[in-house]
C-alpha cells in the first residue's frame, strides 16, 4: 500500500473533519475520559483553504482518506495547526509515505 500526500480539495474537508473527531475521541476514550469531540461543519477549514490553498493537505491510501494536516501562516510565522492520521492505515503502510 502506498500513501500519497497531496493538497486537500474542498469536497474532502468534511471527511477530514470526521477523521479529526474520530482520532480525538479514540484517544480520549482510551484514556478514560469518554468522547469529547463532536462533528461540526468544516466551515473554518473551508475558510482556511480559500485563504491559503497550500496550507491544507490530505494523505490517501488506496483512494481512502488516511490523514489530514492543516497549517497556518501569519506574517513570517508558520505553524502546524493539526495533524491527524488513521493509525491502522499508516501502520499497515509502514514507510510507504511519499511526498
Amino acid at each position: 500500500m502506498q500513501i500519497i500526500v497531496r493538497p486537500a480539495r474542498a469536497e474532502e474537508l468534511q471527511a477530514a473533519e470526521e477523521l479529526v473527531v474520530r482520532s480525538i475521541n479514540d484517544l480520549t476514550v482510551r484514556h478514560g475520559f469518554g468522547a469529547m469531540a463532536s462533528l461540526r461543519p468544516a466551515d473554518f477549514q473551508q475558510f482556511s483553504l480559500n485563504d491559503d490553498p497550500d496550507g491544507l493537505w490530505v494523505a490517501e491510501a488506496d483512494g481512502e482518506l488516511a490523514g489530514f494536516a492543516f497549517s497556518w501562516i501569519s506574517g513570517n510565522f508558520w505553524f502546524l495547526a493539526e495533524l491527524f492520521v488513521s493509525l491502522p492505515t499508516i501502520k499497515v503502510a509502514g514507510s510507504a509515505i511519499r511526498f
Side-chain angles (χ1 to χ4, degrees), residues 1-6 58-61 66-67 83 85-86 89-99:
M1 169 188 312
Q2 182 177 8
I3 297 179
I4 298 169
V5 178
R6 59 168 178 73
V58 295
E60 62 178 36
L83 174 61
V85 296
S86 171
T89 304
I90 299 301
K91 285 181 180 179
V92 168
S95 61
I97 298 176
R98 305 283 184 255
F99 291 91

Side-chain angles (χ1 to χ4, degrees), residues 4 7 10 17 24 36 41 44 48 56-58 81 84 90:
I4 298 169
E17 177 65 13
I24 291 170
M36 294 180 152
F44 185 68
S48 300
L56 284 80
W57 293 79
V58 295
F84 290 90
I90 299 301

